[in-house]
Structures are given as C-alpha cells and as structure tokens.
Amino acid sequence: NAGVMQNPRHLVRRRGQEARLRCSPMKGHSHVYWYRQLPEEGLKFMVYLQKENIIDESGMPKERFSAEFPKEGPSILRIQQVVRGDSAAYFCASSPRLPGVTGSGNTIYFGEGSWLTVV
Amino acid sequence: QQQVKQSPQSLIVQKGGISIINCAYENTAFDYFPWYQQFPGKGPALLIAIRPDVSEKKEGRFTISFNKSAKQFSLHIMDSQPGDSATYFCAASIGTSGSRLTFGEGTQLTVNP
C-alpha cells in the first residue's frame, strides 16, 4: 500500500534553470496538494488540484510557478527560471475525496518531499 | 486572520516527562485542528486531530486539549520518549472549503534519555 510518492527526492538546479517535481498520490486518491517548506519554517499551502482541474491556487507565486494534475500520470509542480529563494522542501499530499465530507475529516497524507537546492 | 501561532519554538524534556506545545488561532471559521509530526528529511505525518465540538481527544500518549472560547489548542505528550524527538506542527483548516491547511511555525522537541 504505497504512500504518496514524490520524485526526485533531491534536485539541484542552477539559477535560471527549470525544476520539475513529480507527485503520485496514494492509490484511490484524486485530490492533490502542494506545500512548500522554507528552512526553519512551517509548511505553506501552494495549490490544490483534482484531475485536470486547479481548484485553489491562492498560495502559488504569481510568476514562474505552475502546477498540473493530468488525467493520466503524476501531478507536476513546475518552477521556471529558478532563483536562490526557491530553495526549499516541496511536499505533495493527497486525500481520497473532498475533505470535510462527513466521516473523512481533513485527513491528507504527505509524501516525503522533494528538496530543491538552487545554486 | 489566517495565522496559527505556535509556541515554544523549541522544547527540551527529560524522558518520562510531559511535553506541552501550544497553538492559538484567529479565524473562528477554522473547524479542524490536526497535529503533525515530522522527522528530519521526512514528510509530516498526521499524529492526532480534533474538531471544536469536543474539548479533549486522547490517543495513547498524545492528547489534544481544545479551548474554543480562547481560540487555543495544545498537544500534550505524556511519558515522553527519545523516539518522540521530532518537529511538531499544529495546523487548522476550514473543513468544507477544501483542505488548505494553515500550519504553525513548528516546535522542535528533544527528549533526553
């Protein structure tokens, strides 16, 4: 019973390059979330997606960042023209259905993260 | 209004002692309050969670106390063990509008043997 799978676990990019982070949700989960954790800080919500739809992207930076969750395949968080300030751990999470539905609570399960270092 | 304030930033406890971590929130629309445990290099793992219709929830050595009027909630770890050494995050969300969790800043707990 595999958990949320993220890859790569560690990624090093030079300033100006692109970073692509992938996330496969738990089996049976159709809701995916991306969070960012800066060093010594808590996690900050970035985006919430369902298959082929972005539901809430209120936490995404306005430029250079994009996310998708296609009908087939993993969710992708894409960061274009990376800068040093993008260095962080990026966590993906998934849930089986809309949290808050009776009986489900808001139980979302996190992956082990992708650590991006921009040099 | 979306903030969740967590304290202390770090905590050192002797084995067998009680670890207490506190959180306060402002948004009265929050209706789900989970605690996550994170080990270095790992993702956060759900530890225990509470809804505001109860004042306390206990699971093993972990207890959440919730004070709705004060807009505060806390995590108590009884009989703390060295294996509990980790970073703990409180969080809050509005249940019916999605699972956008607002996290506290985290507490680094060290349990000395």
Side-chain angles (χ1 to χ4, degrees):
Chain A
N1 187 16
V4 178
M5 304 300 291
Q6 291 189 245
N7 68 84
R9 293 294 316 280
H10 298 276
L11 182 64
V12 179
R13 284 288 178 266
R14 296 187 183 279
R15 281 177 294 172
Q17 290 185 319
E18 178 180 287
R20 283 191 180 223
L21 310 177
R22 290 176 291 278
C23 169
S24 296
M26 287 180 70
K27 186 177 181 180
H29 287 194
S30 58
H31 300 255
V32 165
Y33 319 86
W34 286 93
Y35 285 78
R36 177 165 63 175
Q37 186 175 33
L38 295 169
E40 307 301 323
E41 292 188 15
L43 289 88
K44 305 292 185 190
F45 170 82
M46 298 182 77
V47 63
Y48 162 35
L49 311 103
Q50 295 178 31
K51 286 285 187 180
E52 300 184 279
N53 287 301
I54 297 175
I55 307 302
D56 180 356
E57 57 180 347
S58 56
M60 287 280 271
K62 299 300 180 193
E63 298 176 346
R64 303 187 297 107
F65 286 71
S66 62
E68 62 176 10
F69 188 16
K71 188 176 181 180
E72 301 291 337
S75 175
I76 306 287
L77 179 67
R78 182 184 179 202
I79 311 171
Q80 295 177 290
Q81 299 173 342
V82 296
V83 300
R84 288 218 170 119
D86 297 332
S87 295
Y90 292 83
F91 289 97
C92 174
S94 71
S95 66
R97 55 188 178 276
L98 181 64
V101 173
T102 300
S104 69
N106 284 49
T107 305
I108 68 172
Y109 299 88
F110 283 86
E112 297 208 325
S114 290
W115 266 258
L116 171 66
T117 301
V118 180
V119 297
Chain B
Q1 197 178 21
Q2 290 293 324
Q3 283 187 320
V4 176
K5 298 283 190 183
Q6 183 172 346
S7 62
Q9 191 173 14
S10 62
L11 180 62
I12 300 174
V13 174
Q14 291 298 118
K15 179 182 176 182
I18 302 174
S19 304
I20 301 175
I21 304 170
N22 301 298
C23 284
Y25 63 97
E26 298 173 355
N27 188 346
T28 55
F30 285 144
D31 64 352
Y32 179 72
F33 303 89
W35 284 88
Y36 283 83
Q37 179 188 56
Q38 185 180 28
F39 292 104
K42 301 293 185 181
L46 179 65
L47 198 59
I48 187 173
I50 198 168
R51 291 196 177 273
D53 52 348
V54 297
S55 60
E56 185 175 284
K57 183 175 181 180
K58 184 176 181 179
E59 290 184 2
R61 296 185 294 110
F62 301 92
T63 300
I64 298 179
S65 297
F66 185 83
N67 186 329
K68 188 174 181 179
S69 61
K71 293 186 286 185
Q72 296 175 347
F73 59 110
S74 60
L75 175 70
H76 295 233
I77 306 174
M78 311 300 287
D79 188 26
S80 299
Q81 300 296 313
D84 296 331
S85 298
T87 301
Y88 292 81
F89 293 97
C90 62
S93 69
I94 303 170
T96 58
S97 68
S99 74
R100 176 180 178 153
L101 289 167
T102 299
F103 281 86
E105 295 300 308
T107 296
Q108 190 166 349
L109 172 65
T110 301
V111 181
N112 289 327

